[in-house]
Amino acid sequence: MAFLTVLLIPLLFCNCGKTEDKGMISSALSSDEIAWDTYNSENFSLYAPEGSYAADKLPELADKAETARQLVMERLQVVKQEQAPQLIFLETGEHMMKFAGIATGGKAVIEENGIFYLLKEDVHPPLQHELGHLYSWRSWGEPAAHWLREGVAVYTAGDCAGEDLHAWASKMALENKLIDFDELEQNHDFSKAGAHLQAGSFVKYIMEKYGVLSFRKLWENGLTASGEATHLEMDALLEAWTEHLMQKEFTAVTQFLNLDEKIRCE
């Protein structure tokens, strides 16, 4: 598995949003518990505990973060430039829980322009996923619904387990497992893979067919803005998306996909 292909759904799904306590990033970096190694790249400031696995990898991580940034920027067409985000790589679930409030994966801290990641030899950071959260929120503001923020992050992460997001959503459609979007709008449980895959597929469809400006209308207002964004009302838009999922290029591989296994994206 490539180093960046690391987002576990459901176990390593993102936990992001606005900070609940002021200064999560600054609190971690000023903690007496950890002495930090630092590394600056063109667009990031990276931190890892001295002597940790991540500390030895900071130059490599910086290169991978720059590559991830480029992919995310291309997919979201985000052009806002600001101070370099701080990427903090922790090596224990205990430190992740203490500083980020989540024990695995990553957490984008929107208000502080930074991200916490868990990184060990056998646990790699979902770079694109979390950068998708960070750049979308900081460029566009808070989304109208939880599924939109998760859908954007999954879309920016790319394929899942080597297959197109639409193939996964096609399997869900063929097995009658698609979740009603009214339910997604009401902050459906995203602890399982299906909601992520469905949201990511729909975001990808809108982005690729209608473009980022149309998608941003949905980001800001939810599916009630379907007509303004795409000239199709919500029901017609969802029908067009599900018809898209039934293309042979997607349905042909659904027999090989397993929604019950851990699914790695990115």
Side-chain angles (χ1 to χ4, degrees), residues 151-189:
V152 160
V154 173
Y155 165 64
T156 57
D159 295 342
C160 291
E163 296 295 344
D164 194 294
L165 283 168
H166 293 327
W168 287 102
S170 177
K171 183 174 181 65
M172 293 178 67
L174 290 169
E175 296 182 0
N176 296 315
K177 292 182 179 179
L178 287 178
I179 304 160
D180 190 283
F181 271 85
D182 286 338
E183 187 177 347
L184 285 183
E185 290 272 13
Q186 298 302 316
N187 291 340
H188 178 83
D189 179 12

PDB file of all heavy atoms in Angstrom, residues 151-189:
ATOM      1  N   GLY A 151     -18.026  14.428   2.710  1.00  0.00           N
ATOM      2  CA  GLY A 151     -17.969  14.115   1.286  1.00  0.00           C
ATOM      3  C   GLY A 151     -16.820  14.800   0.590  1.00  0.00           C
ATOM      4  O   GLY A 151     -16.129  14.194  -0.244  1.00  0.00           O
ATOM      5  N   VAL A 152     -16.574  16.055   0.928  1.00  0.00           N
ATOM      6  CA  VAL A 152     -15.451  16.787   0.346  1.00  0.00           C
ATOM      7  C   VAL A 152     -14.128  16.123   0.713  1.00  0.00           C
ATOM      8  O   VAL A 152     -13.243  15.951  -0.129  1.00  0.00           O
ATOM      9  CB  VAL A 152     -15.469  18.256   0.802  1.00  0.00           C
ATOM     10  CG1 VAL A 152     -14.103  18.902   0.622  1.00  0.00           C
ATOM     11  CG2 VAL A 152     -16.509  19.030   0.025  1.00  0.00           C
ATOM     12  N   ALA A 153     -13.975  15.750   1.975  1.00  0.00           N
ATOM     13  CA  ALA A 153     -12.715  15.143   2.419  1.00  0.00           C
ATOM     14  C   ALA A 153     -12.471  13.804   1.728  1.00  0.00           C
ATOM     15  O   ALA A 153     -11.337  13.501   1.336  1.00  0.00           O
ATOM     16  CB  ALA A 153     -12.728  14.962   3.930  1.00  0.00           C
ATOM     17  N   VAL A 154     -13.514  12.986   1.578  1.00  0.00           N
ATOM     18  CA  VAL A 154     -13.366  11.705   0.885  1.00  0.00           C
ATOM     19  C   VAL A 154     -13.045  11.936  -0.591  1.00  0.00           C
ATOM     20  O   VAL A 154     -12.191  11.263  -1.171  1.00  0.00           O
ATOM     21  CB  VAL A 154     -14.632  10.848   1.052  1.00  0.00           C
ATOM     22  CG1 VAL A 154     -14.545   9.588   0.204  1.00  0.00           C
ATOM     23  CG2 VAL A 154     -14.819  10.466   2.521  1.00  0.00           C
ATOM     24  N   TYR A 155     -13.710  12.894  -1.193  1.00  0.00           N
ATOM     25  CA  TYR A 155     -13.447  13.229  -2.602  1.00  0.00           C
ATOM     26  C   TYR A 155     -12.002  13.672  -2.805  1.00  0.00           C
ATOM     27  O   TYR A 155     -11.332  13.251  -3.749  1.00  0.00           O
ATOM     28  CB  TYR A 155     -14.415  14.316  -3.046  1.00  0.00           C
ATOM     29  CG  TYR A 155     -14.044  15.006  -4.326  1.00  0.00           C
ATOM     30  CD1 TYR A 155     -13.999  14.318  -5.534  1.00  0.00           C
ATOM     31  CD2 TYR A 155     -13.744  16.374  -4.332  1.00  0.00           C
ATOM     32  CE1 TYR A 155     -13.660  14.975  -6.715  1.00  0.00           C
ATOM     33  CE2 TYR A 155     -13.405  17.032  -5.501  1.00  0.00           C
ATOM     34  CZ  TYR A 155     -13.364  16.324  -6.696  1.00  0.00           C
ATOM     35  OH  TYR A 155     -13.029  16.971  -7.854  1.00  0.00           O
ATOM     36  N   THR A 156     -11.499  14.522  -1.918  1.00  0.00           N
ATOM     37  CA  THR A 156     -10.123  14.989  -2.076  1.00  0.00           C
ATOM     38  C   THR A 156      -9.113  13.882  -1.819  1.00  0.00           C
ATOM     39  O   THR A 156      -8.002  13.922  -2.335  1.00  0.00           O
ATOM     40  CB  THR A 156      -9.824  16.177  -1.143  1.00  0.00           C
ATOM     41  OG1 THR A 156     -10.077  15.813   0.214  1.00  0.00           O
ATOM     42  CG2 THR A 156     -10.664  17.383  -1.508  1.00  0.00           C
ATOM     43  N   ALA A 157      -9.502  12.876  -1.023  1.00  0.00           N
ATOM     44  CA  ALA A 157      -8.588  11.760  -0.749  1.00  0.00           C
ATOM     45  C   ALA A 157      -8.423  10.851  -1.959  1.00  0.00           C
ATOM     46  O   ALA A 157      -7.409  10.184  -2.101  1.00  0.00           O
ATOM     47  CB  ALA A 157      -9.084  10.957   0.449  1.00  0.00           C
ATOM     48  N   GLY A 158      -9.423  10.800  -2.837  1.00  0.00           N
ATOM     49  CA  GLY A 158      -9.302  10.005  -4.056  1.00  0.00           C
ATOM     50  C   GLY A 158     -10.032   8.683  -4.002  1.00  0.00           C
ATOM     51  O   GLY A 158     -11.047   8.551  -3.327  1.00  0.00           O
ATOM     52  N   ASP A 159      -9.509   7.699  -4.731  1.00  0.00           N
ATOM     53  CA  ASP A 159     -10.139   6.383  -4.787  1.00  0.00           C
ATOM     54  C   ASP A 159     -10.107   5.704  -3.429  1.00  0.00           C
ATOM     55  O   ASP A 159      -9.311   6.054  -2.554  1.00  0.00           O
ATOM     56  CB  ASP A 159      -9.438   5.483  -5.804  1.00  0.00           C
ATOM     57  CG  ASP A 159      -9.581   5.988  -7.236  1.00  0.00           C
ATOM     58  OD1 ASP A 159     -10.482   6.810  -7.465  1.00  0.00           O
ATOM     59  OD2 ASP A 159      -8.801   5.562  -8.089  1.00  0.00           O
ATOM     60  N   CYS A 160     -10.962   4.696  -3.278  1.00  0.00           N
ATOM     61  CA  CYS A 160     -10.991   3.902  -2.051  1.00  0.00           C
ATOM     62  C   CYS A 160     -10.701   2.448  -2.376  1.00  0.00           C
ATOM     63  O   CYS A 160     -11.374   1.866  -3.224  1.00  0.00           O
ATOM     64  CB  CYS A 160     -12.345   4.020  -1.359  1.00  0.00           C
ATOM     65  SG  CYS A 160     -12.640   5.668  -0.669  1.00  0.00           S
ATOM     66  N   ALA A 161      -9.683   1.900  -1.709  1.00  0.00           N
ATOM     67  CA  ALA A 161      -9.230   0.527  -1.958  1.00  0.00           C
ATOM     68  C   ALA A 161      -8.980   0.296  -3.446  1.00  0.00           C
ATOM     69  O   ALA A 161      -9.254  -0.778  -3.981  1.00  0.00           O
ATOM     70  CB  ALA A 161     -10.246  -0.475  -1.425  1.00  0.00           C
ATOM     71  N   GLY A 162      -8.465   1.319  -4.111  1.00  0.00           N
ATOM     72  CA  GLY A 162      -8.108   1.196  -5.512  1.00  0.00           C
ATOM     73  C   GLY A 162      -9.255   1.302  -6.489  1.00  0.00           C
ATOM     74  O   GLY A 162      -9.044   1.143  -7.700  1.00  0.00           O
ATOM     75  N   GLU A 163     -10.472   1.565  -6.008  1.00  0.00           N
ATOM     76  CA  GLU A 163     -11.627   1.667  -6.888  1.00  0.00           C
ATOM     77  C   GLU A 163     -12.260   3.051  -6.799  1.00  0.00           C
ATOM     78  O   GLU A 163     -12.244   3.701  -5.754  1.00  0.00           O
ATOM     79  CB  GLU A 163     -12.668   0.599  -6.532  1.00  0.00           C
ATOM     80  CG  GLU A 163     -12.185  -0.828  -6.741  1.00  0.00           C
ATOM     81  CD  GLU A 163     -11.892  -1.180  -8.192  1.00  0.00           C
ATOM     82  OE1 GLU A 163     -12.343  -0.431  -9.086  1.00  0.00           O
ATOM     83  OE2 GLU A 163     -11.207  -2.177  -8.438  1.00  0.00           O
ATOM     84  N   ASP A 164     -12.843   3.454  -7.907  1.00  0.00           N
ATOM     85  CA  ASP A 164     -13.512   4.742  -7.994  1.00  0.00           C
ATOM     86  C   ASP A 164     -14.618   4.856  -6.947  1.00  0.00           C
ATOM     87  O   ASP A 164     -15.323   3.888  -6.658  1.00  0.00           O
ATOM     88  CB  ASP A 164     -14.110   4.886  -9.403  1.00  0.00           C
ATOM     89  CG  ASP A 164     -14.525   6.311  -9.719  1.00  0.00           C
ATOM     90  OD1 ASP A 164     -15.456   6.816  -9.065  1.00  0.00           O
ATOM     91  OD2 ASP A 164     -13.927   6.903 -10.627  1.00  0.00           O
ATOM     92  N   LEU A 165     -14.783   6.044  -6.385  1.00  0.00           N
ATOM     93  CA  LEU A 165     -15.861   6.269  -5.427  1.00  0.00           C
ATOM     94  C   LEU A 165     -17.222   5.911  -6.021  1.00  0.00           C
ATOM     95  O   LEU A 165     -18.107   5.417  -5.317  1.00  0.00           O
ATOM     96  CB  LEU A 165     -15.871   7.734  -4.991  1.00  0.00           C
ATOM     97  CG  LEU A 165     -14.814   8.157  -3.978  1.00  0.00           C
ATOM     98  CD1 LEU A 165     -14.763   9.672  -3.881  1.00  0.00           C
ATOM     99  CD2 LEU A 165     -15.105   7.540  -2.621  1.00  0.00           C
ATOM    100  N   HIS A 166     -17.396   6.166  -7.315  1.00  0.00           N
ATOM    101  CA  HIS A 166     -18.673   5.843  -7.942  1.00  0.00           C
ATOM    102  C   HIS A 166     -18.929   4.336  -7.980  1.00  0.00           C
ATOM    103  O   HIS A 166     -20.080   3.900  -7.942  1.00  0.00           O
ATOM    104  CB  HIS A 166     -18.725   6.414  -9.354  1.00  0.00           C
ATOM    105  CG  HIS A 166     -18.745   7.911  -9.404  1.00  0.00           C
ATOM    106  ND1 HIS A 166     -19.357   8.683  -8.447  1.00  0.00           N
ATOM    107  CD2 HIS A 166     -18.235   8.781 -10.323  1.00  0.00           C
ATOM    108  CE1 HIS A 166     -19.217   9.966  -8.763  1.00  0.00           C
ATOM    109  NE2 HIS A 166     -18.543  10.045  -9.876  1.00  0.00           N
ATOM    110  N   ALA A 167     -17.867   3.539  -8.062  1.00  0.00           N
ATOM    111  CA  ALA A 167     -18.048   2.084  -8.042  1.00  0.00           C
ATOM    112  C   ALA A 167     -18.579   1.635  -6.687  1.00  0.00           C
ATOM    113  O   ALA A 167     -19.463   0.777  -6.600  1.00  0.00           O
ATOM    114  CB  ALA A 167     -16.735   1.378  -8.372  1.00  0.00           C
ATOM    115  N   TRP A 168     -18.044   2.224  -5.628  1.00  0.00           N
ATOM    116  CA  TRP A 168     -18.535   1.890  -4.284  1.00  0.00           C
ATOM    117  C   TRP A 168     -19.995   2.316  -4.115  1.00  0.00           C
ATOM    118  O   TRP A 168     -20.821   1.566  -3.586  1.00  0.00           O
ATOM    119  CB  TRP A 168     -17.668   2.563  -3.228  1.00  0.00           C
ATOM    120  CG  TRP A 168     -16.327   1.930  -3.074  1.00  0.00           C
ATOM    121  CD1 TRP A 168     -15.132   2.388  -3.566  1.00  0.00           C
ATOM    122  CD2 TRP A 168     -16.025   0.709  -2.387  1.00  0.00           C
ATOM    123  NE1 TRP A 168     -14.118   1.533  -3.234  1.00  0.00           N
ATOM    124  CE2 TRP A 168     -14.633   0.504  -2.511  1.00  0.00           C
ATOM    125  CE3 TRP A 168     -16.793  -0.217  -1.693  1.00  0.00           C
ATOM    126  CZ2 TRP A 168     -13.991  -0.607  -1.944  1.00  0.00           C
ATOM    127  CZ3 TRP A 168     -16.158  -1.313  -1.122  1.00  0.00           C
ATOM    128  CH2 TRP A 168     -14.780  -1.496  -1.256  1.00  0.00           C
ATOM    129  N   ALA A 169     -20.308   3.519  -4.565  1.00  0.00           N
ATOM    130  CA  ALA A 169     -21.693   3.980  -4.460  1.00  0.00           C
ATOM    131  C   ALA A 169     -22.608   3.149  -5.351  1.00  0.00           C
ATOM    132  O   ALA A 169     -23.770   2.907  -5.000  1.00  0.00           O
ATOM    133  CB  ALA A 169     -21.775   5.457  -4.830  1.00  0.00           C
ATOM    134  N   SER A 170     -22.101   2.695  -6.486  1.00  0.00           N
ATOM    135  CA  SER A 170     -22.881   1.826  -7.357  1.00  0.00           C
ATOM    136  C   SER A 170     -23.235   0.526  -6.649  1.00  0.00           C
ATOM    137  O   SER A 170     -24.369   0.031  -6.743  1.00  0.00           O
ATOM    138  CB  SER A 170     -22.096   1.530  -8.643  1.00  0.00           C
ATOM    139  OG  SER A 170     -22.805   0.628  -9.474  1.00  0.00           O
ATOM    140  N   LYS A 171     -22.274  -0.020  -5.925  1.00  0.00           N
ATOM    141  CA  LYS A 171     -22.552  -1.245  -5.165  1.00  0.00           C
ATOM    142  C   LYS A 171     -23.639  -0.987  -4.124  1.00  0.00           C
ATOM    143  O   LYS A 171     -24.544  -1.804  -3.934  1.00  0.00           O
ATOM    144  CB  LYS A 171     -21.284  -1.748  -4.484  1.00  0.00           C
ATOM    145  CG  LYS A 171     -21.498  -3.075  -3.730  1.00  0.00           C
ATOM    146  CD  LYS A 171     -20.204  -3.620  -3.187  1.00  0.00           C
ATOM    147  CE  LYS A 171     -20.432  -4.946  -2.462  1.00  0.00           C
ATOM    148  NZ  LYS A 171     -20.889  -6.010  -3.367  1.00  0.00           N
ATOM    149  N   MET A 172     -23.557   0.147  -3.458  1.00  0.00           N
ATOM    150  CA  MET A 172     -24.581   0.483  -2.475  1.00  0.00           C
ATOM    151  C   MET A 172     -25.950   0.598  -3.132  1.00  0.00           C
ATOM    152  O   MET A 172     -26.963   0.131  -2.591  1.00  0.00           O
ATOM    153  CB  MET A 172     -24.223   1.799  -1.777  1.00  0.00           C
ATOM    154  CG  MET A 172     -22.984   1.714  -0.901  1.00  0.00           C
ATOM    155  SD  MET A 172     -22.579   3.312  -0.145  1.00  0.00           S
ATOM    156  CE  MET A 172     -23.975   3.519   0.977  1.00  0.00           C
ATOM    157  N   ALA A 173     -25.988   1.210  -4.318  1.00  0.00           N
ATOM    158  CA  ALA A 173     -27.258   1.362  -5.023  1.00  0.00           C
ATOM    159  C   ALA A 173     -27.821   0.004  -5.435  1.00  0.00           C
ATOM    160  O   ALA A 173     -29.020  -0.267  -5.264  1.00  0.00           O
ATOM    161  CB  ALA A 173     -27.070   2.250  -6.253  1.00  0.00           C
ATOM    162  N   LEU A 174     -26.975  -0.867  -5.958  1.00  0.00           N
ATOM    163  CA  LEU A 174     -27.424  -2.188  -6.411  1.00  0.00           C
ATOM    164  C   LEU A 174     -27.906  -3.044  -5.254  1.00  0.00           C
ATOM    165  O   LEU A 174     -28.774  -3.916  -5.434  1.00  0.00           O
ATOM    166  CB  LEU A 174     -26.288  -2.892  -7.154  1.00  0.00           C
ATOM    167  CG  LEU A 174     -25.921  -2.296  -8.521  1.00  0.00           C
ATOM    168  CD1 LEU A 174     -24.628  -2.904  -9.042  1.00  0.00           C
ATOM    169  CD2 LEU A 174     -27.060  -2.515  -9.521  1.00  0.00           C
ATOM    170  N   GLU A 175     -27.367  -2.816  -4.077  1.00  0.00           N
ATOM    171  CA  GLU A 175     -27.764  -3.585  -2.893  1.00  0.00           C
ATOM    172  C   GLU A 175     -28.774  -2.833  -2.032  1.00  0.00           C
ATOM    173  O   GLU A 175     -29.050  -3.233  -0.902  1.00  0.00           O
ATOM    174  CB  GLU A 175     -26.520  -3.931  -2.067  1.00  0.00           C
ATOM    175  CG  GLU A 175     -25.542  -4.843  -2.818  1.00  0.00           C
ATOM    176  CD  GLU A 175     -24.330  -5.224  -1.984  1.00  0.00           C
ATOM    177  OE1 GLU A 175     -24.229  -4.779  -0.806  1.00  0.00           O
ATOM    178  OE2 GLU A 175     -23.481  -5.975  -2.497  1.00  0.00           O
ATOM    179  N   ASN A 176     -29.338  -1.759  -2.591  1.00  0.00           N
ATOM    180  CA  ASN A 176     -30.344  -0.957  -1.869  1.00  0.00           C
ATOM    181  C   ASN A 176     -29.833  -0.456  -0.523  1.00  0.00           C
ATOM    182  O   ASN A 176     -30.565  -0.450   0.471  1.00  0.00           O
ATOM    183  CB  ASN A 176     -31.635  -1.757  -1.678  1.00  0.00           C
ATOM    184  CG  ASN A 176     -32.315  -2.091  -2.994  1.00  0.00           C
ATOM    185  OD1 ASN A 176     -32.428  -1.226  -3.864  1.00  0.00           O
ATOM    186  ND2 ASN A 176     -32.740  -3.338  -3.148  1.00  0.00           N
ATOM    187  N   LYS A 177     -28.570  -0.035  -0.500  1.00  0.00           N
ATOM    188  CA  LYS A 177     -27.960   0.440   0.732  1.00  0.00           C
ATOM    189  C   LYS A 177     -27.684   1.935   0.726  1.00  0.00           C
ATOM    190  O   LYS A 177     -27.097   2.459   1.679  1.00  0.00           O
ATOM    191  CB  LYS A 177     -26.657  -0.330   0.999  1.00  0.00           C
ATOM    192  CG  LYS A 177     -26.882  -1.800   1.343  1.00  0.00           C
ATOM    193  CD  LYS A 177     -25.565  -2.503   1.637  1.00  0.00           C
ATOM    194  CE  LYS A 177     -25.812  -3.963   2.015  1.00  0.00           C
ATOM    195  NZ  LYS A 177     -24.540  -4.684   2.283  1.00  0.00           N
ATOM    196  N   LEU A 178     -28.100   2.628  -0.326  1.00  0.00           N
ATOM    197  CA  LEU A 178     -27.934   4.071  -0.314  1.00  0.00           C
ATOM    198  C   LEU A 178     -28.788   4.675   0.799  1.00  0.00           C
ATOM    199  O   LEU A 178     -29.906   4.235   1.049  1.00  0.00           O
ATOM    200  CB  LEU A 178     -28.331   4.672  -1.661  1.00  0.00           C
ATOM    201  CG  LEU A 178     -27.375   4.440  -2.834  1.00  0.00           C
ATOM    202  CD1 LEU A 178     -27.949   5.048  -4.103  1.00  0.00           C
ATOM    203  CD2 LEU A 178     -25.990   5.012  -2.546  1.00  0.00           C
ATOM    204  N   ILE A 179     -28.242   5.673   1.443  1.00  0.00           N
ATOM    205  CA  ILE A 179     -28.915   6.330   2.569  1.00  0.00           C
ATOM    206  C   ILE A 179     -29.727   7.504   2.037  1.00  0.00           C
ATOM    207  O   ILE A 179     -29.239   8.282   1.192  1.00  0.00           O
ATOM    208  CB  ILE A 179     -27.870   6.811   3.596  1.00  0.00           C
ATOM    209  CG1 ILE A 179     -27.003   5.640   4.048  1.00  0.00           C
ATOM    210  CG2 ILE A 179     -28.554   7.470   4.789  1.00  0.00           C
ATOM    211  CD1 ILE A 179     -25.683   6.074   4.669  1.00  0.00           C
ATOM    212  N   ASP A 180     -30.933   7.641   2.505  1.00  0.00           N
ATOM    213  CA  ASP A 180     -31.757   8.766   2.088  1.00  0.00           C
ATOM    214  C   ASP A 180     -31.042  10.073   2.425  1.00  0.00           C
ATOM    215  O   ASP A 180     -30.538  10.253   3.542  1.00  0.00           O
ATOM    216  CB  ASP A 180     -33.106   8.709   2.801  1.00  0.00           C
ATOM    217  CG  ASP A 180     -34.091   9.704   2.226  1.00  0.00           C
ATOM    218  OD1 ASP A 180     -33.946  10.903   2.559  1.00  0.00           O
ATOM    219  OD2 ASP A 180     -34.983   9.299   1.465  1.00  0.00           O
ATOM    220  N   PHE A 181     -30.975  10.991   1.476  1.00  0.00           N
ATOM    221  CA  PHE A 181     -30.236  12.225   1.698  1.00  0.00           C
ATOM    222  C   PHE A 181     -30.878  13.101   2.762  1.00  0.00           C
ATOM    223  O   PHE A 181     -30.203  13.916   3.395  1.00  0.00           O
ATOM    224  CB  PHE A 181     -30.056  12.993   0.390  1.00  0.00           C
ATOM    225  CG  PHE A 181     -28.804  12.597  -0.351  1.00  0.00           C
ATOM    226  CD1 PHE A 181     -28.809  11.497  -1.194  1.00  0.00           C
ATOM    227  CD2 PHE A 181     -27.622  13.289  -0.175  1.00  0.00           C
ATOM    228  CE1 PHE A 181     -27.659  11.123  -1.870  1.00  0.00           C
ATOM    229  CE2 PHE A 181     -26.463  12.911  -0.836  1.00  0.00           C
ATOM    230  CZ  PHE A 181     -26.476  11.820  -1.690  1.00  0.00           C
ATOM    231  N   ASP A 182     -32.172  12.952   2.974  1.00  0.00           N
ATOM    232  CA  ASP A 182     -32.795  13.662   4.098  1.00  0.00           C
ATOM    233  C   ASP A 182     -32.169  13.211   5.411  1.00  0.00           C
ATOM    234  O   ASP A 182     -31.965  14.012   6.325  1.00  0.00           O
ATOM    235  CB  ASP A 182     -34.301  13.404   4.125  1.00  0.00           C
ATOM    236  CG  ASP A 182     -35.032  14.158   3.031  1.00  0.00           C
ATOM    237  OD1 ASP A 182     -34.484  15.160   2.546  1.00  0.00           O
ATOM    238  OD2 ASP A 182     -36.141  13.731   2.657  1.00  0.00           O
ATOM    239  N   GLU A 183     -31.848  11.911   5.479  1.00  0.00           N
ATOM    240  CA  GLU A 183     -31.202  11.374   6.679  1.00  0.00           C
ATOM    241  C   GLU A 183     -29.769  11.883   6.783  1.00  0.00           C
ATOM    242  O   GLU A 183     -29.297  12.235   7.872  1.00  0.00           O
ATOM    243  CB  GLU A 183     -31.229   9.846   6.653  1.00  0.00           C
ATOM    244  CG  GLU A 183     -30.730   9.195   7.926  1.00  0.00           C
ATOM    245  CD  GLU A 183     -30.835   7.684   7.899  1.00  0.00           C
ATOM    246  OE1 GLU A 183     -31.520   7.150   7.001  1.00  0.00           O
ATOM    247  OE2 GLU A 183     -30.225   7.044   8.775  1.00  0.00           O
ATOM    248  N   LEU A 184     -29.067  11.929   5.661  1.00  0.00           N
ATOM    249  CA  LEU A 184     -27.713  12.477   5.678  1.00  0.00           C
ATOM    250  C   LEU A 184     -27.716  13.941   6.111  1.00  0.00           C
ATOM    251  O   LEU A 184     -26.827  14.397   6.831  1.00  0.00           O
ATOM    252  CB  LEU A 184     -27.067  12.354   4.299  1.00  0.00           C
ATOM    253  CG  LEU A 184     -26.591  10.974   3.857  1.00  0.00           C
ATOM    254  CD1 LEU A 184     -25.919  11.073   2.496  1.00  0.00           C
ATOM    255  CD2 LEU A 184     -25.654  10.339   4.859  1.00  0.00           C
ATOM    256  N   GLU A 185     -28.707  14.691   5.656  1.00  0.00           N
ATOM    257  CA  GLU A 185     -28.806  16.099   6.030  1.00  0.00           C
ATOM    258  C   GLU A 185     -28.981  16.266   7.535  1.00  0.00           C
ATOM    259  O   GLU A 185     -28.611  17.298   8.109  1.00  0.00           O
ATOM    260  CB  GLU A 185     -29.988  16.758   5.306  1.00  0.00           C
ATOM    261  CG  GLU A 185     -29.793  16.939   3.814  1.00  0.00           C
ATOM    262  CD  GLU A 185     -29.113  18.250   3.461  1.00  0.00           C
ATOM    263  OE1 GLU A 185     -28.576  18.906   4.371  1.00  0.00           O
ATOM    264  OE2 GLU A 185     -29.103  18.595   2.276  1.00  0.00           O
ATOM    265  N   GLN A 186     -29.545  15.248   8.176  1.00  0.00           N
ATOM    266  CA  GLN A 186     -29.778  15.316   9.626  1.00  0.00           C
ATOM    267  C   GLN A 186     -28.617  14.708  10.415  1.00  0.00           C
ATOM    268  O   GLN A 186     -28.802  14.110  11.466  1.00  0.00           O
ATOM    269  CB  GLN A 186     -31.084  14.593   9.968  1.00  0.00           C
ATOM    270  CG  GLN A 186     -32.315  15.204   9.341  1.00  0.00           C
ATOM    271  CD  GLN A 186     -32.503  16.654   9.739  1.00  0.00           C
ATOM    272  OE1 GLN A 186     -32.354  17.007  10.902  1.00  0.00           O
ATOM    273  NE2 GLN A 186     -32.840  17.493   8.761  1.00  0.00           N
ATOM    274  N   ASN A 187     -27.405  14.841   9.877  1.00  0.00           N
ATOM    275  CA  ASN A 187     -26.195  14.358  10.557  1.00  0.00           C
ATOM    276  C   ASN A 187     -26.250  12.860  10.829  1.00  0.00           C
ATOM    277  O   ASN A 187     -26.118  12.396  11.957  1.00  0.00           O
ATOM    278  CB  ASN A 187     -25.952  15.128  11.867  1.00  0.00           C
ATOM    279  CG  ASN A 187     -25.558  16.571  11.610  1.00  0.00           C
ATOM    280  OD1 ASN A 187     -25.107  16.912  10.524  1.00  0.00           O
ATOM    281  ND2 ASN A 187     -25.735  17.399  12.603  1.00  0.00           N
ATOM    282  N   HIS A 188     -26.449  12.102   9.758  1.00  0.00           N
ATOM    283  CA  HIS A 188     -26.438  10.643   9.849  1.00  0.00           C
ATOM    284  C   HIS A 188     -25.133  10.158  10.480  1.00  0.00           C
ATOM    285  O   HIS A 188     -24.099  10.801  10.369  1.00  0.00           O
ATOM    286  CB  HIS A 188     -26.588  10.050   8.446  1.00  0.00           C
ATOM    287  CG  HIS A 188     -26.538   8.563   8.396  1.00  0.00           C
ATOM    288  ND1 HIS A 188     -27.640   7.789   8.657  1.00  0.00           N
ATOM    289  CD2 HIS A 188     -25.530   7.709   8.139  1.00  0.00           C
ATOM    290  CE1 HIS A 188     -27.303   6.511   8.545  1.00  0.00           C
ATOM    291  NE2 HIS A 188     -26.025   6.436   8.229  1.00  0.00           N
ATOM    292  N   ASP A 189     -25.181   9.011  11.120  1.00  0.00           N
ATOM    293  CA  ASP A 189     -24.014   8.401  11.741  1.00  0.00           C
ATOM    294  C   ASP A 189     -22.941   8.110  10.689  1.00  0.00           C
ATOM    295  O   ASP A 189     -23.150   7.303   9.789  1.00  0.00           O
ATOM    296  CB  ASP A 189     -24.435   7.104  12.448  1.00  0.00           C
ATOM    297  CG  ASP A 189     -23.260   6.394  13.101  1.00  0.00           C
ATOM    298  OD1 ASP A 189     -22.184   7.000  13.204  1.00  0.00           O
ATOM    299  OD2 ASP A 189     -23.439   5.228  13.501  1.00  0.00           O
TER     300      ASP A 189
END
